[in-house]
Amino acid sequence: MINLDFSGRTVLVTGGAGGLGRACVEMFLEGGARVVVSDLPSGRLDDLVSGSVGEAGRLHLVPLDLSDRENCSRLPELACAAAQVESLDVLVNAVGVVRTAPFADITADQWTRTIEINLSGVFATIQAAAARMTDGGSIVTLSSVAGRSGRPNAADYAATKAALLSLTKSAALALGPSIRVNAVCPGMFLTDMWAGIIRDRDAEFGEGAGQAYLNEVAAKTVLARAGSAHELAAAVAFLASDLASFITGQAVNVDGGLEMD
């Protein structure tokens, strides 16, 4: 188990009740951090406290609808209040939504909602969190390999993830040298999100289409397997840590060789 030292640091994780977000929460707790998690009010969020990930005094929840940009803008302030601190040391943007829909079928409302959650909300959170970070702060955003090469049946999702790569560079330029800003591009991880992709493809293209797509992606992955959420969290923790003190404005693929750009 990789255990980087985050003792005394405060970490805010958005989308922390989901598969990859939860793995990041666990990683930072194992490293000794105070962790504030924000996600939609749900049983999944409550499970963070009642489940094995719970750490008395170091885990704090801020239930919030992150599709609302105003909520995203006030989240860092709420996070500091929840953890009873003045500033944040790390922000991890793990919030995101994906749906399967052919390019021609994406509605205006679907397009807008995906952009609001995956891009506009992330921008608002970064903007507000940076104002509450001291020198040495670190921001890590979860983009996707879909942002590297596009997706004909998830064009809205791919577009937002590509935009996050540009946003990462712009934020790194704007916030340096005090704050480092990086991204990771996850490949195939068998989380609830991937389960949703499989269900959506079955519904859209017929029974078995989801598994066929999973098999197709796995066949293109050089390491010939799906990743574990812990492996993604380890990359996030590395970028957030002092070990990556000379890395900013970068996007790291964590995908077993699915993309090499």
Side-chain angles (χ1 to χ4, degrees):
M1 182 72 72
I2 296 172
N3 190 354
L4 300 175
D5 186 9
F6 289 96
S7 299
R9 300 190 187 187
T10 303
V11 180
L12 169 59
V13 181
T14 68
L20 297 182
R22 182 179 177 120
C24 291
V25 171
E26 293 172 345
M27 181 72 71
F28 284 110
L29 285 173
E30 289 166 5
R34 287 181 297 268
V35 182
V36 183
V37 183
S38 186
D39 211 320
L40 280 170
S42 69
R44 292 195 315 170
L45 190 59
D46 296 336
D47 285 345
L48 286 171
V49 175
S50 61
S52 61
V53 73
E55 291 284 347
R58 291 198 291 113
L59 177 62
H60 310 275
L61 306 183
V62 180
L64 215 56
D65 181 358
L66 298 178
S67 68
D68 184 329
R69 267 183 283 183
E70 290 189 10
N71 283 347
C72 295
S73 293
R74 65 192 184 98
L75 173 57
E77 178 182 358
L78 295 174
C80 287
Q84 297 184 319
V85 295
E86 294 296 323
S87 61
L88 299 172
D89 298 292
V90 177
L91 166 65
V92 176
N93 295 299
V95 66
V97 294
V98 63
R99 71 174 56 82
T100 297
F103 187 92
D105 294 343
I106 297 172
T107 68
D109 286 346
Q110 289 173 336
W111 178 267
T112 299
R113 177 170 171 75
T114 304
I115 288 178
E116 284 299 305
I117 296 172
N118 291 8
L119 180 60
S120 298
V122 171
F123 167 74
T125 305
I126 291 174
Q127 192 178 51
R132 288 189 166 270
M133 284 185 169
T134 55
D135 285 358
S138 178
I139 297 171
V140 184
T141 296
L142 272 62
S143 176
S144 169
V145 291
R148 297 290 200 187
S149 55
R151 294 294 183 271
N153 294 303
D156 51 345
Y157 176 76
T160 58
K161 294 303 184 176
L164 287 177
L165 299 180
S166 178
L167 178 60
T168 294
K169 296 174 186 178
S170 296
L173 289 166
L175 301 177
S178 298
I179 298 170
R180 297 182 301 104
V181 186
N182 293 289
V184 293
C185 294
M188 187 172 68
F189 292 84
L190 301 183
T191 61
D192 288 345
M193 179 176 281
W194 254 98
I197 291 172
I198 292 171
R199 287 193 302 271
D200 285 352
R201 284 183 171 265
D202 282 350
E204 187 71 38
F205 304 116
E207 189 68 28
Q211 185 63 45
Y213 180 62
L214 187 150
N215 294 343
E216 176 188 338
V217 175
K220 293 177 181 177
T221 301
V222 176
L223 296 186
R225 64 176 176 86
S228 74
H230 173 82
E231 289 173 309
L232 185 282
V236 170
F238 165 71
L239 289 172
S241 77
D242 293 340
L243 293 175
S245 58
F246 201 53
I247 301 175
T248 195
Q250 306 304 309
V252 178
N253 294 343
V254 187
D255 65 354
L258 181 61
E259 292 280 348
M260 295 192 180
D261 181 13

